Amino acid sequence: MVDHRPADLVVTEVRLTPVLVADPPLLNTQGVHQPYTPRLIIEVVTAGGATGLGETYGDAEYLALARPLATALVGRKVTDLNALAALAAHVDGAAGTAGPDGVDAAGLRGVRTADKLRRSVRSGFEVACLDAWGHATGLPVHALLGGAVRDRVPYGAYLFYRWERHPDGLGEPDDWGAALDPAGIVAQARRFADRYGFTSFKLKGGVFPPDQEAAAIRALAAAFPGRPLRLDPNGAWSVPTALQVADALADVLTYLEDPVSGTGAMARVAAGTTIPLATNMCVTTFEELPEAIARDAVRIVLSDHHYWGGLHATRELAALCRTFGLGLAMHSNTHLGISLAAMTHVAATVPDLDHACDTHYPWQTEDVLTERLAFRDGHLDVGDAPGLGVTLDRDRLAVLHHRWLADDGTYRNRDDAAAMRRVHPDWTTPPVPRW
Ligand SMILES: O=C([O-])C(=O)C[C@H](O)[C@@H](O)C(=O)[O-]
Ligand SMILES: [Mg+2]
């Protein structure tokens, strides 16, 4: 272990860098991804000279909470992680910026509460502290969480209906091409399988009428016999529609993800199908767990360390899932390599990781790391490098930050419905249930 004095672990500086990251025109039930999506990169510097990296959502409401937390963290130790929650709660009170509770309209993030916003911000700081602590001591983050129980973490292909390009030539072009029907989805899945070795496939649904999406799942089942398949319409269906689709796909789906909106509706679907239901929408906070468990609404919780408040909180969630017989896997939104590395470290420490984790990462052609994380046979190696095991590329960070600075505000908050209006001027977020 590297020699260090406790004083070396004191935070002397926190740098916040909002960035805009290129994102392809991926479709979901609310609209289409913007050409650029906001993320926040957090750097924590210690007295001993270690620097730690964290990443979280970068929309304005997250930045507003991150700024006072960055100031409050200076003078604390990077090991002081149990105090981070109180610190985050305090700065929230001072800033008064958490906004009203309700349902998140951008990016299908489930319930929106002040506490969840605080947790999402805090998660990026916790990861940065763990990374700095790891660099100071020579230990990987998974060791600081109690140790890895696996040496590689499985990920799945996250399939999206998509356009070839963003309208008006905006954004950064890629060579994936359009995917708007079963053949396009199968071609996309093949490319994911060939390039990354993924053997599980999740289709983002809620875009086309359910029979078309069921046909895409059937086509995937024919192309990849016996492989785990999932369908996620982000709560866009009614209970009867969900039951029909579940019935039609019972022999091929590993699980159905958020077919309907709300715990009550999920419980009604769960009671009428043998397919396990998974969620990253009706259970995204600890407060939502008791009702979901009591009503047997979900079998699998798709954790997202941002929502839940960080890597330690994810392990608390894992313990609760284990206690109540729920499966655990991991959800992903548009993110960069720092968050993917953080996910991988925590996933490595969770004994019961029941399914391959989701990740958007292959869709992101840009990163702020010197070296992209590389999937091998559908897995990421856990590794024993200090901290998260990743290195910041300052030049790339500056480019993506400059894009954020140059933006007139159009992309600083993710809004998939607004992005859709560029093509369909009358588009509004469809009411739920949509079908
Ligand atoms: O599994 C999910 O529900 C998601 O990943 C939510 C995301 O916002 C996804 O739908 C997206 O980015 O369009
Ligand atoms: Mg989902």
Side-chain angles (χ1 to χ4, degrees):
M1 195 176 288
V2 177
D3 210 15
H4 67 270
R5 295 168 301 131
D8 291 347
L9 297 172
V10 171
V11 175
T12 52
E13 187 186 353
V14 180
R15 293 192 283 265
L16 301 179
T17 312
V19 295
L20 281 179
V21 184
D23 210 11
L26 307 179
L27 298 164
N28 61 36
T29 199
Q30 290 189 338
V32 62
H33 286 207
Q34 300 178 164
Y36 301 106
T37 206
R39 298 295 286 177
L40 174 64
I41 307 303
I42 300 162
E43 291 172 83
V44 164
V45 185
T46 67
T51 300
L53 299 174
E55 174 189 344
T56 189
Y57 292 94
D59 311 63
E61 60 201 359
Y62 298 85
L63 295 186
L65 290 172
R67 289 189 183 109
L69 184 54
T71 307
L73 196 64
V74 173
R76 308 281 178 142
K77 285 191 192 141
V78 291
T79 51
D80 234 358
L81 299 177
N82 291 332
L84 204 53
L87 204 60
H90 172 74
V91 300
D92 176 39
T97 49
D101 289 1
V103 174
D104 187 274
L108 309 161
R109 292 172 209 163
V111 72
R112 176 200 151 106
T113 66
D115 183 58
K116 187 167 152 192
L117 277 180
R118 277 198 303 271
R119 283 177 179 269
S120 299
V121 172
R122 178 181 124 197
S123 71
F125 285 79
E126 188 221 40
V127 168
C129 286
L130 283 165
D131 188 35
W133 185 3
H135 282 289
T137 56
L139 293 171
V141 165
H142 61 76
L144 301 175
L145 297 174
V149 294
R150 60 181 60 79
D151 54 14
R152 54 187 207 149
V153 171
Y155 284 88
Y158 198 156
L159 311 176
F160 274 84
Y161 292 108
R162 57 163 290 168
W163 300 328
E164 185 178 358
R165 289 177 196 291
H166 284 287
D168 310 326
L170 292 167
E172 313 296 307
D174 65 23
D175 61 357
W176 282 85
L180 295 164
D181 56 17
I185 290 298
V186 169
Q188 194 183 91
R190 259 199 212 296
R191 185 164 166 179
F192 269 112
D194 293 347
R195 185 176 282 196
Y196 305 107
F198 294 139
T199 54
S200 307
F201 303 92
K202 158 171 164 172
L203 175 60
K204 173 60 37 164
V207 176
F208 293 117
D211 57 333
Q212 292 181 34
E213 297 185 350
I217 292 292
R218 280 270 158 227
L220 286 169
F224 301 94
R227 296 300 189 195
L229 302 178
R230 311 142 185 194
L231 177 57
D232 175 15
N234 281 117
W237 301 339
S238 67
V239 171
T241 301
L243 288 171
Q244 272 168 25
V245 178
D247 199 35
L249 296 177
D251 57 325
V252 287
L253 281 184
T254 306
Y255 60 69
L256 190 51
E257 185 172 327
D258 289 307
V260 292
S261 288
T263 301
M266 287 284 280
R268 282 190 283 144
V269 177
T273 179
T274 53
I275 303 182
L277 299 192
T279 187
N280 62 267
M281 291 183 76
C282 77
V283 181
T284 60
T285 62
F286 287 98
E287 292 74 24
E288 290 166 305
L289 262 175
E291 187 192 351
I293 291 168
R295 300 179 78 167
D296 210 7
V298 299
R299 302 286 350 134
I300 299 139
V301 176
L302 302 170
S303 158
D304 180 317
H305 70 267
H306 307 90
Y307 299 165
W308 291 86
L311 307 191
H312 281 286
T314 302
R315 287 177 46 76
E316 287 167 12
L317 171 65
L320 285 169
C321 287
R322 195 157 57 243
T323 306
F324 289 99
L326 299 180
L328 184 83
M330 293 201 187
H331 160 265
S332 145
N333 228 307
T334 303
H335 63 82
L336 295 170
I338 299 170
S339 276
L340 180 59
M343 257 174 99
T344 304
H345 277 270
V346 71
T349 70
V350 171
D352 317 294
L353 186 73
D354 301 287
H355 304 276
C357 301
D358 289 354
T359 178
H360 277 241
Y361 192 63
W363 291 117
Q364 264 48 72
T365 51
E366 300 180 324
D367 205 344
V368 294
L369 302 181
T370 52
E371 214 177 308
R372 277 183 75 84
L373 277 69
F375 298 96
R376 278 196 305 118
D377 300 330
H379 291 73
L380 282 181
D381 291 336
V382 175
D384 277 329
L388 292 171
V390 300
T391 306
L392 186 65
D393 181 333
R394 293 213 160 272
D395 294 339
R396 289 304 303 159
L397 182 70
V399 168
L400 302 192
H401 179 52
H402 186 262
R403 185 186 284 150
W404 185 89
L405 287 174
D407 181 66
D408 61 4
T410 307
Y411 300 126
R412 286 188 182 185
N413 296 304
R414 178 172 159 182
D415 186 341
D416 295 356
M420 189 59 122
R421 278 194 285 280
R422 290 180 178 276
V423 177
H424 301 290
D426 297 333
W427 181 269
T428 51
T429 302
V432 171
R434 189 171 172 191
W435 287 286

